Amino acid sequence: QGPAAGTAPGAALVQRAAPITRELLARMESAHLQPVYLQRLVELYDPANPALDLVYQEELFRDGHGGFAVSPGAVLQPSMTPAESATFSLLQGARQGYVERHRDFRVRDVLLFKNNYSIVDLRQSSTIAGVPCVWLEVQNRYDASISWRLAVDNKSGMILSEERVDHNGALLARIETVVIDFNPDLSNAVLDGGPSAWQPVTGPALAALTVHVPTLLPDGYQLFETAKMH
């Protein structure tokens, strides 16, 4: 089991909690579309098997157009040989798409989010990496097994500290920013990803577009129809 959350709001503060504003929720939805550089400390815990606990440093670049780079740094826990550290870095490099898009808490669609989650302002503030943040608590309306405590920059909507706990209150993960730069130098960053919004294909590009029909389908799947829109 991981250490008790040191910066998380106390239970008594929940009594003074209030719904967050629609504006803050909208900023959280679009926060990943802002250019930024972050250094983070990532703590991942397994309450049932502390031998699997993992703590490491991480760097994140975003260009504001859907491009990103996530690079693992030093592993602080557990101790690793140089070969194990090199393997970990290679694996995390291959997983950067998952890390950026799915590992961390994100508001992807405000309306859908409001239907599935309750989110309240705990009326407590903290300074994370020099940035004033408000603390929020998030719970899934249909699954009480995990809840979140988030420190959010009220100006940008970025989550600068995330704590995930299980239904017993055991810490599952803490991902906290230690350095932030809203005007990052991306000249040496090798970015992955792509445009953050779909772009229409028209003109010559549309005429040259070839859609391939799959010829080998997994078991249980079959092709029903194909269609082309103009």
Short mmCIF file of all heavy atoms in Angstrom, two decimals, residues 5-75:
data_model
loop_
_atom_site.label_atom_id
_atom_site.label_comp_id
_atom_site.label_asym_id
_atom_site.label_seq_id
_atom_site.Cartn_x
_atom_site.Cartn_y
_atom_site.Cartn_z
N ALA A 5 -1.92 10.08 1.44
CA ALA A 5 -1.81 11.32 0.67
C ALA A 5 -1.47 12.48 1.59
O ALA A 5 -2.18 12.76 2.55
CB ALA A 5 -3.13 11.59 -0.05
N GLY A 6 -0.38 13.18 1.28
CA GLY A 6 0.06 14.26 2.16
C GLY A 6 -0.59 15.59 1.87
O GLY A 6 -0.77 16.42 2.75
N THR A 7 -0.97 15.81 0.59
CA THR A 7 -1.54 17.11 0.24
C THR A 7 -3.03 17.05 -0.03
O THR A 7 -3.64 18.04 -0.38
CB THR A 7 -0.84 17.65 -1.02
OG1 THR A 7 -0.97 16.68 -2.07
CG2 THR A 7 0.63 17.91 -0.76
N ALA A 8 -3.60 15.88 0.12
CA ALA A 8 -5.02 15.74 -0.20
C ALA A 8 -5.88 16.40 0.85
O ALA A 8 -5.54 16.45 2.03
CB ALA A 8 -5.38 14.26 -0.31
N PRO A 9 -7.06 16.90 0.46
CA PRO A 9 -7.96 17.53 1.41
C PRO A 9 -8.45 16.54 2.45
O PRO A 9 -8.61 15.36 2.17
CB PRO A 9 -9.11 18.02 0.52
CG PRO A 9 -8.55 18.06 -0.86
CD PRO A 9 -7.53 16.97 -0.92
N GLY A 10 -8.73 17.03 3.62
CA GLY A 10 -9.26 16.19 4.69
C GLY A 10 -10.73 15.93 4.50
O GLY A 10 -11.43 16.62 3.77
N ALA A 11 -11.23 14.90 5.18
CA ALA A 11 -12.62 14.52 5.02
C ALA A 11 -13.57 15.63 5.45
O ALA A 11 -14.66 15.79 4.90
CB ALA A 11 -12.90 13.24 5.83
N ALA A 12 -13.17 16.43 6.45
CA ALA A 12 -14.07 17.49 6.94
C ALA A 12 -14.35 18.53 5.87
O ALA A 12 -15.40 19.17 5.86
CB ALA A 12 -13.45 18.16 8.16
N LEU A 13 -13.43 18.68 4.93
CA LEU A 13 -13.63 19.68 3.90
C LEU A 13 -14.74 19.31 2.94
O LEU A 13 -15.32 20.17 2.30
CB LEU A 13 -12.32 19.89 3.11
CG LEU A 13 -11.17 20.53 3.90
CD1 LEU A 13 -9.90 20.51 3.08
CD2 LEU A 13 -11.52 21.95 4.29
N VAL A 14 -15.02 18.00 2.83
CA VAL A 14 -16.07 17.57 1.93
C VAL A 14 -17.42 18.17 2.33
O VAL A 14 -18.28 18.41 1.51
CB VAL A 14 -16.14 16.03 1.90
CG1 VAL A 14 -17.27 15.54 1.01
CG2 VAL A 14 -14.81 15.46 1.42
N GLN A 15 -17.60 18.44 3.62
CA GLN A 15 -18.85 19.02 4.09
C GLN A 15 -19.06 20.42 3.52
O GLN A 15 -20.19 20.90 3.46
CB GLN A 15 -18.85 19.06 5.62
CG GLN A 15 -18.73 17.68 6.26
CD GLN A 15 -18.61 17.77 7.77
OE1 GLN A 15 -18.67 18.85 8.35
NE2 GLN A 15 -18.45 16.63 8.42
N ARG A 16 -17.97 21.10 3.11
CA ARG A 16 -18.11 22.44 2.56
C ARG A 16 -17.97 22.42 1.04
O ARG A 16 -17.80 23.45 0.42
CB ARG A 16 -17.04 23.36 3.16
CG ARG A 16 -17.07 23.43 4.68
CD ARG A 16 -16.38 24.69 5.17
NE ARG A 16 -15.00 24.77 4.72
CZ ARG A 16 -13.97 24.27 5.39
NH1 ARG A 16 -14.18 23.61 6.53
NH2 ARG A 16 -12.73 24.40 4.95
N ALA A 17 -18.02 21.23 0.45
CA ALA A 17 -17.83 21.10 -0.98
C ALA A 17 -18.98 21.74 -1.74
O ALA A 17 -20.11 21.85 -1.25
CB ALA A 17 -17.70 19.63 -1.37
N ALA A 18 -18.69 22.16 -2.97
CA ALA A 18 -19.69 22.77 -3.83
C ALA A 18 -19.43 22.35 -5.26
O ALA A 18 -18.29 22.05 -5.63
CB ALA A 18 -19.65 24.29 -3.70
N PRO A 19 -20.46 22.30 -6.10
CA PRO A 19 -20.25 21.96 -7.51
C PRO A 19 -19.28 22.94 -8.16
O PRO A 19 -19.28 24.13 -7.84
CB PRO A 19 -21.65 22.07 -8.12
CG PRO A 19 -22.58 21.93 -6.96
CD PRO A 19 -21.88 22.55 -5.79
N ILE A 20 -18.47 22.44 -9.08
CA ILE A 20 -17.56 23.35 -9.77
C ILE A 20 -18.31 24.10 -10.85
O ILE A 20 -19.39 23.71 -11.27
CB ILE A 20 -16.36 22.59 -10.37
CG1 ILE A 20 -16.78 21.75 -11.58
CG2 ILE A 20 -15.67 21.74 -9.35
CD1 ILE A 20 -15.62 21.24 -12.39
N THR A 21 -17.72 25.19 -11.32
CA THR A 21 -18.37 26.00 -12.34
C THR A 21 -18.28 25.31 -13.69
O THR A 21 -17.38 24.52 -13.97
CB THR A 21 -17.71 27.38 -12.44
OG1 THR A 21 -16.35 27.22 -12.89
CG2 THR A 21 -17.71 28.09 -11.09
N ARG A 22 -19.23 25.63 -14.54
CA ARG A 22 -19.24 25.10 -15.90
C ARG A 22 -18.00 25.56 -16.67
O ARG A 22 -17.45 24.83 -17.49
CB ARG A 22 -20.50 25.56 -16.62
CG ARG A 22 -20.66 25.01 -18.03
CD ARG A 22 -21.96 25.49 -18.65
NE ARG A 22 -23.11 25.09 -17.85
CZ ARG A 22 -24.37 25.45 -18.14
NH1 ARG A 22 -24.62 26.22 -19.19
NH2 ARG A 22 -25.35 25.06 -17.37
N GLU A 23 -17.55 26.79 -16.36
CA GLU A 23 -16.37 27.33 -17.06
C GLU A 23 -15.12 26.53 -16.74
O GLU A 23 -14.31 26.24 -17.63
CB GLU A 23 -16.17 28.80 -16.68
CG GLU A 23 -17.23 29.75 -17.22
CD GLU A 23 -18.54 29.67 -16.43
OE1 GLU A 23 -18.52 29.12 -15.30
OE2 GLU A 23 -19.57 30.16 -16.94
N LEU A 24 -14.93 26.14 -15.47
CA LEU A 24 -13.76 25.36 -15.11
C LEU A 24 -13.81 23.99 -15.76
O LEU A 24 -12.80 23.48 -16.25
CB LEU A 24 -13.66 25.21 -13.59
CG LEU A 24 -12.50 24.35 -13.07
CD1 LEU A 24 -11.16 24.84 -13.62
CD2 LEU A 24 -12.48 24.30 -11.55
N LEU A 25 -14.98 23.38 -15.81
CA LEU A 25 -15.12 22.08 -16.44
C LEU A 25 -14.77 22.17 -17.93
O LEU A 25 -14.12 21.28 -18.48
CB LEU A 25 -16.54 21.56 -16.25
CG LEU A 25 -16.79 20.07 -16.49
CD1 LEU A 25 -15.88 19.22 -15.61
CD2 LEU A 25 -18.24 19.71 -16.25
N ALA A 26 -15.19 23.26 -18.57
CA ALA A 26 -14.85 23.45 -19.99
C ALA A 26 -13.34 23.63 -20.18
O ALA A 26 -12.77 23.13 -21.15
CB ALA A 26 -15.61 24.64 -20.55
N ARG A 27 -12.70 24.33 -19.26
CA ARG A 27 -11.25 24.50 -19.36
C ARG A 27 -10.53 23.17 -19.15
O ARG A 27 -9.52 22.90 -19.80
CB ARG A 27 -10.77 25.55 -18.34
CG ARG A 27 -11.15 26.97 -18.70
CD ARG A 27 -10.38 27.98 -17.88
NE ARG A 27 -10.76 27.99 -16.49
CZ ARG A 27 -11.78 28.70 -15.99
NH1 ARG A 27 -12.52 29.47 -16.79
NH2 ARG A 27 -12.07 28.66 -14.70
N MET A 28 -11.05 22.34 -18.29
CA MET A 28 -10.46 21.02 -18.09
C MET A 28 -10.59 20.16 -19.34
O MET A 28 -9.70 19.37 -19.67
CB MET A 28 -11.12 20.33 -16.89
CG MET A 28 -10.81 20.98 -15.55
SD MET A 28 -11.71 20.23 -14.17
CE MET A 28 -10.97 18.59 -14.13
N GLU A 29 -11.70 20.32 -20.06
CA GLU A 29 -11.91 19.54 -21.28
C GLU A 29 -10.88 19.89 -22.35
O GLU A 29 -10.43 19.02 -23.10
CB GLU A 29 -13.32 19.80 -21.81
CG GLU A 29 -13.66 19.02 -23.08
CD GLU A 29 -15.00 19.42 -23.65
OE1 GLU A 29 -15.38 20.61 -23.52
OE2 GLU A 29 -15.67 18.56 -24.24
N SER A 30 -10.49 21.15 -22.44
CA SER A 30 -9.58 21.58 -23.50
C SER A 30 -8.14 21.77 -23.02
O SER A 30 -7.30 22.22 -23.79
CB SER A 30 -10.09 22.90 -24.11
OG SER A 30 -10.14 23.92 -23.13
N ALA A 31 -7.85 21.40 -21.78
CA ALA A 31 -6.53 21.67 -21.21
C ALA A 31 -5.42 20.99 -21.99
O ALA A 31 -4.31 21.54 -22.12
CB ALA A 31 -6.50 21.23 -19.75
N HIS A 32 -5.67 19.79 -22.53
CA HIS A 32 -4.61 19.06 -23.23
C HIS A 32 -4.29 19.67 -24.59
O HIS A 32 -3.36 19.23 -25.26
CB HIS A 32 -5.01 17.59 -23.41
CG HIS A 32 -6.19 17.40 -24.32
ND1 HIS A 32 -7.47 17.71 -23.96
CD2 HIS A 32 -6.25 16.92 -25.59
CE1 HIS A 32 -8.29 17.44 -24.95
NE2 HIS A 32 -7.58 16.96 -25.96
N LEU A 33 -5.04 20.70 -25.01
CA LEU A 33 -4.79 21.35 -26.29
C LEU A 33 -3.92 22.59 -26.13
O LEU A 33 -3.79 23.38 -27.07
CB LEU A 33 -6.12 21.74 -26.94
CG LEU A 33 -7.08 20.57 -27.21
CD1 LEU A 33 -8.37 21.08 -27.83
CD2 LEU A 33 -6.43 19.52 -28.10
N GLN A 34 -3.32 22.76 -24.97
CA GLN A 34 -2.44 23.90 -24.74
C GLN A 34 -0.98 23.45 -24.75
O GLN A 34 -0.67 22.38 -24.24
CB GLN A 34 -2.76 24.54 -23.38
CG GLN A 34 -4.21 25.00 -23.23
CD GLN A 34 -4.51 25.46 -21.82
OE1 GLN A 34 -3.85 26.32 -21.29
NE2 GLN A 34 -5.52 24.85 -21.21
N PRO A 35 -0.10 24.27 -25.33
CA PRO A 35 1.33 23.90 -25.29
C PRO A 35 1.85 23.97 -23.86
O PRO A 35 1.51 24.88 -23.11
CB PRO A 35 1.99 24.96 -26.18
CG PRO A 35 1.04 26.11 -26.19
CD PRO A 35 -0.33 25.53 -26.06
N VAL A 36 2.67 22.98 -23.49
CA VAL A 36 3.17 22.94 -22.12
C VAL A 36 4.33 21.96 -22.03
O VAL A 36 4.46 21.05 -22.86
CB VAL A 36 2.05 22.52 -21.13
CG1 VAL A 36 1.73 21.04 -21.26
CG2 VAL A 36 2.39 22.88 -19.70
N TYR A 37 5.18 22.20 -21.05
CA TYR A 37 6.21 21.24 -20.68
C TYR A 37 6.03 20.94 -19.20
O TYR A 37 5.90 21.86 -18.38
CB TYR A 37 7.62 21.79 -20.92
CG TYR A 37 8.71 21.00 -20.23
CD1 TYR A 37 9.08 19.75 -20.70
CD2 TYR A 37 9.34 21.50 -19.09
CE1 TYR A 37 10.07 19.01 -20.05
CE2 TYR A 37 10.33 20.77 -18.44
CZ TYR A 37 10.69 19.53 -18.93
OH TYR A 37 11.67 18.81 -18.28
N LEU A 38 6.02 19.67 -18.84
CA LEU A 38 5.84 19.26 -17.45
C LEU A 38 6.92 18.26 -17.06
O LEU A 38 7.27 17.37 -17.84
CB LEU A 38 4.47 18.57 -17.25
CG LEU A 38 3.20 19.33 -17.62
CD1 LEU A 38 1.99 18.41 -17.48
CD2 LEU A 38 3.03 20.55 -16.76
N GLN A 39 7.45 18.44 -15.86
CA GLN A 39 8.18 17.37 -15.19
C GLN A 39 7.27 16.84 -14.09
O GLN A 39 6.73 17.62 -13.30
CB GLN A 39 9.49 17.89 -14.58
CG GLN A 39 10.56 18.23 -15.59
CD GLN A 39 11.85 18.67 -14.90
OE1 GLN A 39 12.08 18.38 -13.73
NE2 GLN A 39 12.70 19.39 -15.63
N ARG A 40 7.11 15.53 -14.03
CA ARG A 40 6.17 14.95 -13.08
C ARG A 40 6.83 13.82 -12.30
O ARG A 40 7.75 13.16 -12.77
CB ARG A 40 4.94 14.41 -13.82
CG ARG A 40 4.20 15.46 -14.60
CD ARG A 40 2.88 14.97 -15.13
NE ARG A 40 3.00 14.03 -16.23
CZ ARG A 40 2.01 13.73 -17.07
NH1 ARG A 40 0.82 14.30 -16.92
NH2 ARG A 40 2.21 12.88 -18.05
N LEU A 41 6.29 13.61 -11.10
CA LEU A 41 6.64 12.45 -10.31
C LEU A 41 5.45 11.50 -10.36
O LEU A 41 4.34 11.87 -9.98
CB LEU A 41 6.95 12.84 -8.87
CG LEU A 41 7.36 11.68 -7.95
CD1 LEU A 41 8.68 11.07 -8.41
CD2 LEU A 41 7.47 12.14 -6.50
N VAL A 42 5.70 10.29 -10.85
CA VAL A 42 4.63 9.30 -11.03
C VAL A 42 4.79 8.22 -9.97
O VAL A 42 5.85 7.59 -9.86
CB VAL A 42 4.71 8.68 -12.44
CG1 VAL A 42 3.60 7.63 -12.62
CG2 VAL A 42 4.61 9.76 -13.51
N GLU A 43 3.74 8.02 -9.18
CA GLU A 43 3.72 6.98 -8.15
C GLU A 43 2.55 6.05 -8.42
O GLU A 43 1.40 6.48 -8.43
CB GLU A 43 3.58 7.60 -6.76
CG GLU A 43 4.61 8.67 -6.43
CD GLU A 43 4.31 9.37 -5.13
OE1 GLU A 43 3.91 8.69 -4.16
OE2 GLU A 43 4.45 10.60 -5.08
N LEU A 44 2.84 4.78 -8.64
CA LEU A 44 1.81 3.77 -8.92
C LEU A 44 1.91 2.69 -7.86
O LEU A 44 2.99 2.10 -7.67
CB LEU A 44 2.01 3.18 -10.32
CG LEU A 44 2.08 4.19 -11.48
CD1 LEU A 44 2.41 3.49 -12.78
CD2 LEU A 44 0.78 4.97 -11.59
N TYR A 45 0.80 2.42 -7.17
CA TYR A 45 0.82 1.51 -6.03
C TYR A 45 -0.17 0.36 -6.22
O TYR A 45 -1.23 0.52 -6.84
CB TYR A 45 0.48 2.26 -4.75
CG TYR A 45 1.49 3.33 -4.40
CD1 TYR A 45 1.20 4.68 -4.59
CD2 TYR A 45 2.74 2.98 -3.91
CE1 TYR A 45 2.14 5.66 -4.27
CE2 TYR A 45 3.68 3.94 -3.60
CZ TYR A 45 3.37 5.28 -3.78
OH TYR A 45 4.31 6.25 -3.48
N ASP A 46 0.18 -0.78 -5.67
CA ASP A 46 -0.69 -1.95 -5.63
C ASP A 46 -0.90 -2.31 -4.17
O ASP A 46 -0.03 -2.93 -3.54
CB ASP A 46 -0.06 -3.11 -6.40
CG ASP A 46 -0.98 -4.32 -6.49
OD1 ASP A 46 -1.97 -4.39 -5.71
OD2 ASP A 46 -0.72 -5.20 -7.33
N PRO A 47 -2.04 -1.93 -3.58
CA PRO A 47 -2.26 -2.21 -2.15
C PRO A 47 -2.16 -3.68 -1.80
O PRO A 47 -1.79 -4.03 -0.68
CB PRO A 47 -3.68 -1.66 -1.91
CG PRO A 47 -3.88 -0.63 -2.98
CD PRO A 47 -3.15 -1.15 -4.18
N ALA A 48 -2.47 -4.56 -2.76
CA ALA A 48 -2.43 -5.99 -2.48
C ALA A 48 -1.03 -6.57 -2.61
O ALA A 48 -0.76 -7.66 -2.09
CB ALA A 48 -3.38 -6.73 -3.42
N ASN A 49 -0.13 -5.86 -3.28
CA ASN A 49 1.22 -6.38 -3.49
C ASN A 49 2.21 -5.22 -3.58
O ASN A 49 2.54 -4.76 -4.67
CB ASN A 49 1.26 -7.22 -4.77
CG ASN A 49 2.58 -7.97 -4.92
OD1 ASN A 49 3.52 -7.80 -4.13
ND2 ASN A 49 2.66 -8.83 -5.93
N PRO A 50 2.68 -4.73 -2.43
CA PRO A 50 3.60 -3.59 -2.43
C PRO A 50 4.88 -3.82 -3.23
O PRO A 50 5.54 -2.86 -3.63
CB PRO A 50 3.91 -3.40 -0.93
CG PRO A 50 2.74 -4.01 -0.22
CD PRO A 50 2.33 -5.16 -1.08
N ALA A 51 5.22 -5.08 -3.51
CA ALA A 51 6.42 -5.35 -4.30
C ALA A 51 6.29 -4.82 -5.72
O ALA A 51 7.29 -4.65 -6.42
CB ALA A 51 6.70 -6.86 -4.32
N LEU A 52 5.07 -4.56 -6.15
CA LEU A 52 4.83 -4.05 -7.50
C LEU A 52 4.77 -2.52 -7.55
O LEU A 52 4.55 -1.95 -8.62
CB LEU A 52 3.52 -4.63 -8.06
CG LEU A 52 3.48 -6.15 -8.22
CD1 LEU A 52 2.12 -6.58 -8.75
CD2 LEU A 52 4.59 -6.64 -9.15
N ASP A 53 4.94 -1.85 -6.41
CA ASP A 53 4.90 -0.38 -6.38
C ASP A 53 5.99 0.18 -7.29
O ASP A 53 7.11 -0.34 -7.36
CB ASP A 53 5.10 0.14 -4.96
CG ASP A 53 3.93 -0.21 -4.05
OD1 ASP A 53 2.90 -0.69 -4.56
OD2 ASP A 53 4.06 -0.02 -2.82
N LEU A 54 5.65 1.27 -7.98
CA LEU A 54 6.58 1.87 -8.94
C LEU A 54 6.55 3.39 -8.78
O LEU A 54 5.47 3.99 -8.77
CB LEU A 54 6.16 1.49 -10.36
CG LEU A 54 6.95 2.10 -11.52
CD1 LEU A 54 8.41 1.65 -11.50
CD2 LEU A 54 6.30 1.74 -12.86
N VAL A 55 7.73 4.00 -8.65
CA VAL A 55 7.84 5.46 -8.53
C VAL A 55 8.94 5.90 -9.49
O VAL A 55 10.06 5.39 -9.43
CB VAL A 55 8.20 5.89 -7.10
CG1 VAL A 55 8.31 7.42 -7.02
CG2 VAL A 55 7.15 5.39 -6.10
N TYR A 56 8.60 6.83 -10.38
CA TYR A 56 9.60 7.29 -11.34
C TYR A 56 9.31 8.72 -11.79
O TYR A 56 8.19 9.24 -11.58
CB TYR A 56 9.69 6.36 -12.55
CG TYR A 56 8.46 6.33 -13.44
CD1 TYR A 56 8.39 7.10 -14.60
CD2 TYR A 56 7.38 5.51 -13.14
CE1 TYR A 56 7.28 7.06 -15.42
CE2 TYR A 56 6.27 5.46 -13.95
CZ TYR A 56 6.21 6.24 -15.09
OH TYR A 56 5.10 6.20 -15.90
N GLN A 57 10.30 9.34 -12.38
CA GLN A 57 10.16 10.70 -12.92
C GLN A 57 9.77 10.64 -14.38
O GLN A 57 10.03 9.65 -15.07
CB GLN A 57 11.47 11.46 -12.74
CG GLN A 57 11.88 11.64 -11.28
CD GLN A 57 13.30 12.15 -11.12
OE1 GLN A 57 14.14 11.92 -11.96
NE2 GLN A 57 13.56 12.85 -10.02
N GLU A 58 9.15 11.73 -14.84
CA GLU A 58 8.61 11.73 -16.20
C GLU A 58 8.59 13.14 -16.76
O GLU A 58 8.36 14.11 -16.02
CB GLU A 58 7.19 11.15 -16.17
CG GLU A 58 6.47 11.05 -17.49
CD GLU A 58 5.09 10.44 -17.30
OE1 GLU A 58 4.16 11.19 -16.93
OE2 GLU A 58 4.95 9.22 -17.49
N GLU A 59 8.83 13.27 -18.07
CA GLU A 59 8.73 14.55 -18.77
C GLU A 59 7.64 14.46 -19.83
O GLU A 59 7.48 13.42 -20.48
CB GLU A 59 10.05 14.91 -19.46
CG GLU A 59 11.17 15.29 -18.51
CD GLU A 59 12.40 15.78 -19.26
OE1 GLU A 59 12.76 15.13 -20.27
OE2 GLU A 59 12.98 16.80 -18.85
N LEU A 60 6.90 15.56 -19.98
CA LEU A 60 5.83 15.62 -20.98
C LEU A 60 5.92 16.92 -21.74
O LEU A 60 6.03 17.99 -21.15
CB LEU A 60 4.46 15.50 -20.30
CG LEU A 60 3.23 15.85 -21.15
CD1 LEU A 60 3.06 14.85 -22.29
CD2 LEU A 60 1.98 15.91 -20.30
N PHE A 61 5.90 16.82 -23.08
CA PHE A 61 5.78 17.98 -23.96
C PHE A 61 4.45 17.90 -24.70
O PHE A 61 4.04 16.82 -25.13
CB PHE A 61 6.90 17.98 -25.02
CG PHE A 61 8.27 18.28 -24.49
CD1 PHE A 61 9.11 17.25 -24.10
CD2 PHE A 61 8.74 19.58 -24.42
CE1 PHE A 61 10.39 17.51 -23.62
CE2 PHE A 61 10.02 19.86 -23.95
CZ PHE A 61 10.84 18.82 -23.55
N ARG A 62 3.78 19.04 -24.87
CA ARG A 62 2.63 19.15 -25.76
C ARG A 62 2.80 20.40 -26.61
O ARG A 62 3.20 21.45 -26.10
CB ARG A 62 1.32 19.27 -24.97
CG ARG A 62 0.89 18.05 -24.20
CD ARG A 62 -0.52 18.18 -23.68
NE ARG A 62 -0.89 17.07 -22.80
CZ ARG A 62 -1.28 17.20 -21.54
NH1 ARG A 62 -1.34 18.40 -20.99
NH2 ARG A 62 -1.59 16.15 -20.82
N ASP A 63 2.47 20.29 -27.90
CA ASP A 63 2.62 21.45 -28.78
C ASP A 63 1.33 22.24 -28.98
O ASP A 63 1.32 23.26 -29.66
CB ASP A 63 3.19 21.02 -30.14
CG ASP A 63 2.23 20.11 -30.92
OD1 ASP A 63 1.12 19.80 -30.41
OD2 ASP A 63 2.61 19.69 -32.03
N GLY A 64 0.23 21.78 -28.40
CA GLY A 64 -1.04 22.48 -28.54
C GLY A 64 -1.81 22.11 -29.79
O GLY A 64 -2.90 22.62 -30.03
N HIS A 65 -1.25 21.21 -30.63
CA HIS A 65 -1.92 20.79 -31.86
C HIS A 65 -2.09 19.27 -31.91
O HIS A 65 -2.29 18.70 -32.97
CB HIS A 65 -1.11 21.24 -33.08
CG HIS A 65 -0.89 22.72 -33.14
ND1 HIS A 65 -1.90 23.62 -33.46
CD2 HIS A 65 0.21 23.47 -32.89
CE1 HIS A 65 -1.41 24.85 -33.43
NE2 HIS A 65 -0.14 24.79 -33.07
N GLY A 66 -2.01 18.64 -30.76
CA GLY A 66 -2.18 17.20 -30.71
C GLY A 66 -0.87 16.44 -30.66
O GLY A 66 -0.87 15.23 -30.44
N GLY A 67 0.25 17.11 -30.88
CA GLY A 67 1.54 16.46 -30.79
C GLY A 67 2.03 16.42 -29.35
O GLY A 67 1.80 17.35 -28.58
N PHE A 68 2.70 15.34 -28.99
CA PHE A 68 3.17 15.20 -27.61
C PHE A 68 4.39 14.29 -27.58
O PHE A 68 4.68 13.55 -28.52
CB PHE A 68 2.08 14.61 -26.71
CG PHE A 68 1.60 13.24 -27.15
CD1 PHE A 68 2.26 12.08 -26.73
CD2 PHE A 68 0.51 13.11 -28.00
CE1 PHE A 68 1.85 10.84 -27.14
CE2 PHE A 68 0.09 11.86 -28.43
CZ PHE A 68 0.75 10.72 -28.00
N ALA A 69 5.10 14.36 -26.48
CA ALA A 69 6.20 13.43 -26.19
C ALA A 69 6.22 13.17 -24.70
O ALA A 69 6.15 14.11 -23.91
CB ALA A 69 7.54 14.02 -26.64
N VAL A 70 6.27 11.92 -24.32
CA VAL A 70 6.32 11.53 -22.91
C VAL A 70 7.57 10.68 -22.70
O VAL A 70 7.72 9.63 -23.32
CB VAL A 70 5.07 10.72 -22.49
CG1 VAL A 70 5.12 10.43 -20.98
CG2 VAL A 70 3.79 11.45 -22.86
N SER A 71 8.47 11.16 -21.87
CA SER A 71 9.76 10.49 -21.67
C SER A 71 9.93 10.12 -20.20
O SER A 71 9.83 10.99 -19.33
CB SER A 71 10.92 11.40 -22.10
OG SER A 71 10.77 11.79 -23.45
N PRO A 72 10.19 8.84 -19.90
CA PRO A 72 10.45 8.45 -18.52
C PRO A 72 11.84 8.89 -18.08
O PRO A 72 12.77 8.94 -18.89
CB PRO A 72 10.35 6.92 -18.56
CG PRO A 72 10.75 6.57 -19.96
CD PRO A 72 10.26 7.70 -20.82
N GLY A 73 11.95 9.25 -16.81
CA GLY A 73 13.24 9.61 -16.24
C GLY A 73 13.72 8.54 -15.28
O GLY A 73 13.50 7.34 -15.50
N ALA A 74 14.34 8.97 -14.20
CA ALA A 74 14.91 8.02 -13.24
C ALA A 74 13.82 7.25 -12.51
O ALA A 74 12.78 7.80 -12.15
CB ALA A 74 15.78 8.78 -12.23
N VAL A 75 14.07 5.97 -12.30
CA VAL A 75 13.18 5.13 -11.49
C VAL A 75 13.66 5.21 -10.05
O VAL A 75 14.80 4.86 -9.74
CB VAL A 75 13.19 3.68 -11.99
CG1 VAL A 75 12.32 2.80 -11.08
CG2 VAL A 75 12.69 3.60 -13.43
#
